[in-house]
Amino acid sequence: MRRRLGRGVVLSYAAALFLPGPGLWLRRTHSLSLGASGHLSLTTAPLLLSLVLFSAGLQVPVRALGTLLRCPIPLLAGLVLHLAIPLLAIPVVAFLLRRTPDTDGGSGLVTAMILIVAMPVAAGATVWTGKGVGDQPTMVGLVLASTLLSPLTIPLVTSALVPLLGGGYADALTRALHAGNGGFALVGVVLPCTVGIVCRLALPSPRLRRVLGVGVPVALVGSFLLTYVNACGALGSFLAHPRPLLLAAALAVAASVCLLSFTVGRGAARLLGLDAPAASSLTLACGMNNSSASAVLITTTLPDKPHLLLPVLAYGLLQKTAAGRVVRGQRLRVPDSHPTAHAS
């Protein structure tokens, strides 16, 4: 399954296109009766995201991060670029979309892209790092640091970019980020990842291996199911009210931001003179954002705007395609290496 992540995503999109019924049902809020205590409201997408992030935390080799203290430059560069790339890319996209005939000046697409690039580095980037003989401690450090800092960085980045929005999207984005008293990043992203890390540190080795043996495959299935559920929301709305120009614009915007992010990462790695493994990890970290978290945030806080999921889904697929190219290039440069499988 790890070797076929890209194909799994494509199959999830295809299932959403041809069999959307179950996904649309899963997107709805369901009530679990607690007897005399009342009922508990459950939403599938946040639960699946928590499962994926818990599994990611469970697989973080925390003790291996000590090597970063000897060479922290890739980690620091990755964190700085993670904040800088949105501030570089989104204003350019907003300027270009303002010149289109869209009634809101492309603010919907810009809103979706802000929610993508403001999210922490995707946990799945560690899988691609392992495939490409990259610097795994650096990548794990970037995923972990960007996730733990996300309650601060997400509001910081979005607040800086909100003035670019019009047509009511600025208010919608502000409401989305303050949903649950501003706790999405803390409760929805940081908490499950942290719980996974704590469990890894607390569990004895034999029990940890058993938990990983069950938890990792379940989380991978959960990741594909989450992609399917999110795709059902976007594609269902698109099929009900086809907007080919919106789809084309979403693909173009997502491709532009994705290409720029990977290019900036590669350029920064060359400028810093990093070795090939560290350069690969920095490039992947710059281009791979947690698009699943973006989709869940849109689904739960902006349910009346399912079209915002189109660029999110496009970016999710494009970043995996770009990551595959980075991995293949790294393998060609290090032909005699034998990469090991690492956690997502």
Side-chain angles (χ1 to χ4, degrees):
M1 291 177 69
R2 281 196 182 106
R3 289 194 299 268
R4 294 172 175 82
L5 288 176
R7 296 178 187 176
V9 172
V10 172
L11 289 176
S12 298
Y13 289 179
L17 186 62
F18 296 107
L19 190 64
L24 293 175
W25 180 81
L26 288 172
R27 279 174 55 83
R28 296 198 295 267
T29 300
H30 302 277
S31 296
L32 178 64
S33 177
L34 299 178
S37 302
H39 66 276
L40 177 65
S41 296
L42 298 175
T43 307
T44 304
L47 291 176
L48 290 173
L49 178 63
S50 296
L51 172 64
V52 172
L53 291 174
F54 169 79
S55 174
L58 192 64
Q59 299 169 78
V60 170
V62 180
R63 293 180 176 86
L65 298 179
T67 58
L68 292 178
L69 298 177
R70 295 193 293 272
C71 186
I73 292 178
L75 176 64
L76 296 176
L79 292 175
V80 170
L81 290 173
H82 186 71
L83 289 173
I85 287 175
L87 304 179
L88 295 172
I90 300 302
V92 175
V93 171
F95 173 77
L96 295 176
L97 289 175
R98 290 285 174 87
R99 307 176 71 86
T100 66
D102 193 354
T103 55
D104 65 8
S107 287
L109 293 175
V110 175
T111 299
M113 296 313 302
I114 290 174
L115 289 174
I116 293 172
V117 295
M119 291 297 161
V121 179
T126 57
V127 175
W128 296 99
T129 301
K131 288 182 178 182
V133 203
D135 186 342
Q136 191 72 351
T138 294
M139 178 57 75
V140 171
L142 284 167
V143 170
L144 187 57
S146 63
T147 299
L148 295 178
L149 291 173
S150 60
L152 298 175
T153 57
I154 291 176
L156 178 65
V157 170
T158 52
S159 297
L161 298 174
V162 157
L164 299 174
L165 304 178
Y169 281 98
D171 292 337
L173 180 58
T174 301
R175 289 196 305 271
L177 292 173
H178 287 82
N181 296 321
F184 173 78
L186 183 61
V187 177
V189 178
V190 173
L191 182 60
C193 186
T194 303
V195 172
I197 293 172
V198 171
C199 288
R200 180 185 179 92
L201 294 174
L203 291 174
S205 296
R207 184 169 297 179
L208 177 61
R209 285 195 294 270
R210 289 195 295 270
V211 172
L212 289 172
V214 176
V216 173
V218 169
L220 283 171
V221 173
S223 177
F224 293 137
L225 182 58
L226 178 59
T227 301
Y228 165 70
V229 170
N230 290 329
C232 285
L235 298 179
S237 172
F238 178 77
L239 292 176
H241 305 284
R243 299 170 63 183
L245 290 179
L246 174 63
L247 178 61
L251 289 171
V253 169
S256 300
V257 175
C258 185
L259 177 62
L260 178 61
S261 299
F262 275 92
T263 301
V264 169
R266 177 169 293 181
R270 290 177 178 175
L271 186 63
L272 293 171
L274 301 179
D275 59 24
S280 174
S281 295
L282 180 61
T283 303
L284 290 172
C286 287
M288 300 194 72
N289 292 80
N290 197 328
S291 57
S292 295
S294 309
V296 169
L297 184 60
I298 293 171
T299 299
T300 55
T301 62
L302 300 171
D304 58 327
K305 302 182 186 300
H307 62 283
L308 297 185
L309 288 170
L310 285 175
V312 177
L313 296 176
Y315 194 94
L317 181 59
L318 289 168
Q319 71 178 357
K320 291 178 177 63
T321 303
R325 292 181 63 87
V326 173
V327 165
R328 286 192 294 272
Q330 176 70 356
R331 281 177 170 171
L332 290 175
R333 286 190 293 271
V334 192
D336 296 328
S337 299
H338 300 281
T340 57
H342 289 273
S344 65

